[in-house]
């Protein structure tokens, strides 16, 4: 029996098992869901055992446990380490769900005419993580596993993976592998396969501009003193030039663009501006000239105010010049940029923009480094070949705009590159009400993963 | 008996009477104080009767009553109309008062070594308004009233005088006068007399910048869409140039500066920058180059953000690009500027600054026109002569930065100019805890007002 035949023969069971995972409200941030979250870890443990994995264990942490498993068929063969997470975002706002978030149902949608599984975690990440459990089961049970495989499935991804870095530091020998495989990103479209080769890093800071110790009367003082809101606005405005290029000195020093060939693929990927605007109800797209939307959000860094506040914010009018103005500012980082260096560059420059009539405080919040998957490797070529075989089209190496800081930590601590081979769609409602995952996407994933294992093992053997 | 001798003989009683007014918590904005506020009007009515005024009446309004009185000694003589208010600001925050706000006490301070009356309304405006009641009493009772006098004392100044404009429209014949006399402003210092000759107008607007209908993920969209906070900051920054000059086209068209002589007096008035900064805890003073602080806050218009808000404003971090950003922006207007024209100029320019990726709403709030007292008139010369005689020094014609919109309405509706002859100090805690009014200032006012009446009547007779 081939792997493919095995998958075909067990479609209904695979769906039922995924449903059982989706019924467990493993909301990692909710203390009331601590037992549910732990129970979900034991479900993953059980499915890994059933799949034929060895050394299946729960590793307790200060928070939710990490599920680990391995199948070493020959220490001389390469090893794939699968990373995923069994925890989910909160379901709120509940009233916006058309079906109960933890009672999965299959419904057809315009983009999923053959049906999609609606449930919190359907795509992020239970469905995508379970693809690997089922693909590995199919390979093991049919005797087609071509190399070693390890699983590291955590329960705290949605709260920033606070206990994963200490875990990989402690168990770096156990986790030794040749490549990390993750399905926690999206395809460009069901007929446009893509592999995410870039994740942006993040530097997030609070800034505070103080002009006085008390609010002032805008009549008595207006035009004679610094207004911290106007000053903050002027400082923020100077962070980008007319071309939307960030003006922080040295900020782009560590930005290296991908090859022209990769940029051409990104620029030529199918892109529907109207559809991109429709989701959030945008009036237009805007960014640095000379770059495609996918380049702006993928290979360029960004600088955004995430929040701003100060002075009188209620209905009506109050004629004050406030003492203080605040903002939250974050930068998405790319390529070789380092979040600590970027935060320092920002702080130095931002403070330099302040007139001597105000005091400026800059408080870095948290950060993470960008990650770029090299595309000239056996690992990427194997993933690309597997996607091409499965989808009938060479996947686009896409730079995602978001951040998964733990992926950069894998590279820094474990010294292993990651392949981000996702099978969902950006429109599947991740972190939103009515999250769903196409049934076709789920099985396309289960079929593609063994193609990757085979392509990878054979290329490594040939290398 | 001279007016002066009468005043000297009744010092204790004048203070006791003022204390009785100050004991009435006539907080016009507080519905729970409606009866107290009305009672205060009857107290003023009684003191005007005692002073010897005729036609003393309470005019009911949709809100608190207006006290009116007149003493027409000869229709051929000029008439002075005294305007003041018996209502006060709320006393909150109570815990910051060192004595109860409605239990007046006399305590010495550094600036008032001979004692100051501590109570809400001590200077704004019960104490200053009562100066006129007592000065007129002294003139009437000693047979020294040299011209006609009318009183219009309202109870809604602290809530924007909503019923005074209809009142003066309805009773403009009854209110006919040659000059309006108001004590609701400050002296530069007890040894530096000044007359306020300019009040700035006000235009107050809400602005809203919308980029989308929903908040967006700052990773997926960052650098590819307009961020309404960054956009708002960039628009606000463009409202002034590097010199702090407001860039709204046509904004300064109706600004005419006072004569070089008056500007010299303003620039040469005693000014203590350190003391000016100390009150609100400022780090420095800032404004358009080439202008003195008193010119910046008096004869120049201002543009200030009074509030700003948008996006994530709580502790921690949320990686969104918000859909919307808001600000409250007000302009203080001077000279011949009109608040409706300024609001329109602002709205047109502000909207023109917006990229086509956002929508901008500008909502004017309320406004008032600036007022300038001409200094080349008999009225001003009489006031200046009275202050000089009383203080031994020519008063500085000062441009105050604040707004009393009703003064411009007096000019527009009654066609009468106003003399703003205040006797308190800016440091007396107006609208703040521990409001007070120097005992010396109170009596200096009562002594100066008859000097004004005499100087004015004789100048008008000679004219």
């Amino acid at each position: 029996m081939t792997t493919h035949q095995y998958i075909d023969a067990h479609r209904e069971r695979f769906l039922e098992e995924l449903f059982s995972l989706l019924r467990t409200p493993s909301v990692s941030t909710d203390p009331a869901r601590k037992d549910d979250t732990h129970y979900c870890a034991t479900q993953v443990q059980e499915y890994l055992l059933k799949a034929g994995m060895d050394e299946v264990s729960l590793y307790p942490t200060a928070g939710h446990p990490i599920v680990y498993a391995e199948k070493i068929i020959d220490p001389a063969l390469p090893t794939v380490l699968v990373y995923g997470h069994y925890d989910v975002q909160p379901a709120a706002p509940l009233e916006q769900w058309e079906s109960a978030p933890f009672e999965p149902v299959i419904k057809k949608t315009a983009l999923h005419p053959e049906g999609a599984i609606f449930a919190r975690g359907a795509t992020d990440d239970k469905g995508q993580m379970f693809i690997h459990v089922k693909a590995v089961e199919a390979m093991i049970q049919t005797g087609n596993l071509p190399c070693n495989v390890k699983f590291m499935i955590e329960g705290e991804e949605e709260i920033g993976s606070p206990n994963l870095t200490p875990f990989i530091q402690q168990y770096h020998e156990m986790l030794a592998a040749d490549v990390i495989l993750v399905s926690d990103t999206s395809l460009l479209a069901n007929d446009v396969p893509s592999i995410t080769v870039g994740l942006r890093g993040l530097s997030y800071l609070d800034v505070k501009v103080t002009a006085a110790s008390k609010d002032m009367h805008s009549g008595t003082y207006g035009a004679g003193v610094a207004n911290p809101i106007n000053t903050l606005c002027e400082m923020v405005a100077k962070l980008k030039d007319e071309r939307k290029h960030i003006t922080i000195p040295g900020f782009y020093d560590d930005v290296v663009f991908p090859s022209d060939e990769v940029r051409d693929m990104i620029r030529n990927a199918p892109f529907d501006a109207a559809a991109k605007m429709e989701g959030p109800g945008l009036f237009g797209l805007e960014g640095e000239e000379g770059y495609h939307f996918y380049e702006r959000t993928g290979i360029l860094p960004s600088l955004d105010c995430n929040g701003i506040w100060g002075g009188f914010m209620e209905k009506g009018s109050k004629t004050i010049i406030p003492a203080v103005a605040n903002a939250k500012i974050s930068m998405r980082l790319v390529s070789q940029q380092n979040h600590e260096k970027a935060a320092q560059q920002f702080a130095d420059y931002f403070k330099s923009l302040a007139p001597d009539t105000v005091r400026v405080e800059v408080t870095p919040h948290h950060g993470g480094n960008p990650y770029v998957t090299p595309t000239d490797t056996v690992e990427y070529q194997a993933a690309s070949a597997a996607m091409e075989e499965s989808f009938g089209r060479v996947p686009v190496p896409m730079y995602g705009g978001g951040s998964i800081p733990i992926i950069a930590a894998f590279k820094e601590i474990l010294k292993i590159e990651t392949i981000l081979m996702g099978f969902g769609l950006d429109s599947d409602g991740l972190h939103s009400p009515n999250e769903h995952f196409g049934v076709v996407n789920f099985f396309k994933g289960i079929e593609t993963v063994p193609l990757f294992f085979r392509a990878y093992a054979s290329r490594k053997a040939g290398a």
Side-chain angles (χ1 to χ4, degrees), chain A:
Chain A
M1 190 184 252
T2 66
T3 306
H4 197 90
Q5 286 167 337
Y6 182 92
I7 296 167
D8 268 353
H10 295 87
R11 287 177 63 93
E12 288 309 309
R13 177 171 60 83
F14 287 3
L15 275 176
E16 277 163 30
E17 290 172 353
L18 173 57
F19 274 38
S20 78
L21 281 180
L22 295 173
R23 285 191 193 100
T24 308
S26 50
V27 181
S28 49
T29 195
D30 185 351
R33 297 301 194 188
K34 191 173 192 326
D35 289 349
D36 291 312
T37 307
H38 189 273
Y39 174 67
C40 195
T42 65
Q43 288 180 295
V44 174
Q45 182 181 29
E46 194 182 326
Y47 289 126
L48 284 166
L49 273 170
K50 270 198 192 172
M53 293 294 294
D54 302 329
E55 312 289 347
V56 184
S57 327
L58 288 198
Y59 283 78
T61 74
H64 304 296
I66 294 162
V67 189
Y68 177 78
E70 60 181 46
K71 186 83 183 179
I72 308 297
I73 58 171
D74 180 350
L77 287 173
T79 301
V80 175
L81 171 59
V82 174
Y83 163 75
H85 63 96
Y86 62 84
D87 66 320
V88 296
Q89 282 275 314
L94 286 175
E95 68 280 7
Q96 291 183 27
W97 283 80
E98 287 163 18
S99 57
F102 298 107
E103 293 172 23
V105 290
I106 292 175
K107 288 187 288 190
K108 290 177 182 176
T109 74
L111 288 174
H112 299 293
E114 297 175 65
I117 306 151
F118 280 76
R120 169 57 81 229
T123 180
D124 180 16
D125 183 49
K126 286 175 177 173
Q128 296 220 72
M129 174 270 286
F130 206 56
I131 281 172
H132 296 275
V133 179
K134 295 295 105 178
V136 166
E137 175 188 316
M139 289 188 280
I140 292 175
Q141 299 303 329
T142 59
N144 285 314
L145 185 67
C147 61
N148 306 313
V149 61
K150 296 175 177 177
F151 279 85
M152 173 172 67
I153 311 297
E154 71 156 321
E156 300 188 315
E157 198 273 345
E158 300 295 0
I159 52 173
S161 304
N163 293 298
L164 194 60
T165 298
F167 178 80
I168 66 175
Q169 279 166 336
Q170 188 177 353
Y171 295 104
H172 64 96
E173 285 180 22
M174 175 178 87
L175 298 169
D178 297 275
V179 64
I180 296 172
L181 185 60
V182 179
S183 294
D184 199 14
T185 51
S186 302
L187 296 169
L188 274 173
N190 272 352
D191 56 352
V192 188
S194 58
I195 296 172
T196 299
V197 296
L199 294 167
R200 291 198 284 190
L202 179 67
S203 174
Y204 199 108
L205 310 102
D206 276 5
V207 304
K208 182 178 182 179
V209 174
T210 304
S213 54
K214 292 179 201 164
D215 291 352
M216 291 160 279
H217 191 290
S218 71
T220 316
Y221 290 93
V225 299
N227 179 316
I229 298 179
N230 291 66
T231 303
L232 173 60
C233 287
E234 288 157 14
M235 291 166 71
V236 167
K238 287 182 183 155
L239 295 172
K240 294 185 198 179
D241 64 19
E242 290 288 319
R243 297 177 305 134
K244 305 293 172 194
H245 196 71
I246 296 163
T247 52
I248 300 169
F251 188 67
Y252 290 89
D253 284 357
D254 300 322
V255 176
V256 181
F257 285 148
S259 66
D260 287 347
E261 191 187 19
V262 169
R263 288 185 65 183
D264 278 343
M265 291 186 77
I266 296 171
R267 277 194 293 254
N268 294 321
F271 175 69
D272 183 342
K276 184 60 73 179
M277 285 158 60
E278 196 185 334
L282 282 160
F283 296 116
L285 301 176
E286 179 186 291
E288 191 164 346
E289 263 185 52
Y291 296 90
H292 186 275
F293 177 85
Y294 284 142
E295 291 182 308
R296 290 168 175 170
T297 59
I299 67 172
L300 286 182
S302 69
L303 186 152
D304 277 295
C305 290
N306 308 100
I308 193 164
W309 69 100
F312 184 67
M313 298 180 272
E314 295 162 43
K315 274 195 194 286
S317 59
K318 191 178 180 190
T319 47
I320 53 162
I321 296 174
V324 180
N326 295 274
K328 289 178 188 281
I329 298 179
S330 69
M331 298 172 286
R332 297 281 174 169
L333 309 172
V334 298
S335 183
Q336 303 301 311
Q337 286 184 295
N338 174 279
H339 75 93
E340 284 163 346
K341 182 176 172 183
Q344 191 60 53
Q345 287 174 323
F346 173 88
D348 291 345
Y349 182 54
F350 196 68
K351 287 177 182 173
S352 79
L353 296 176
D356 58 12
T357 43
V358 300
R359 296 293 175 270
V360 176
E361 287 166 60
V362 178
T363 312
H365 246 281
H366 65 72
N369 287 330
Y371 177 72
V372 176
T373 304
T375 55
D376 57 355
T377 61
V378 169
E379 287 76 19
Y380 182 80
Q381 286 156 12
S384 183
M387 293 288 272
E388 185 179 359
E389 190 176 344
S390 184
F391 286 84
R393 183 167 175 168
V394 176
V396 181
M398 277 303 294
Y399 285 73
S403 307
I404 313 180
I406 199 67
I407 305 292
F410 291 161
K411 174 75 185 294
E412 285 156 24
I413 297 164
L414 299 176
K415 317 289 181 202
I416 313 175
E417 303 284 1
T418 295
I419 296 291
L420 295 154
M421 195 162 62
F423 295 97
L425 300 179
D426 269 343
S427 53
D428 283 347
L430 296 77
H431 294 210
S432 296
N434 304 307
E435 178 178 350
H436 56 280
F437 189 31
V439 175
V440 166
N441 298 63
F442 178 55
F443 286 105
K444 202 81 163 179
I446 299 173
E447 286 154 18
T448 305
V449 167
L451 300 177
F452 168 75
F453 272 73
R454 198 183 62 196
Y456 181 52
S458 74
R459 274 175 169 76
K460 285 290 274 191

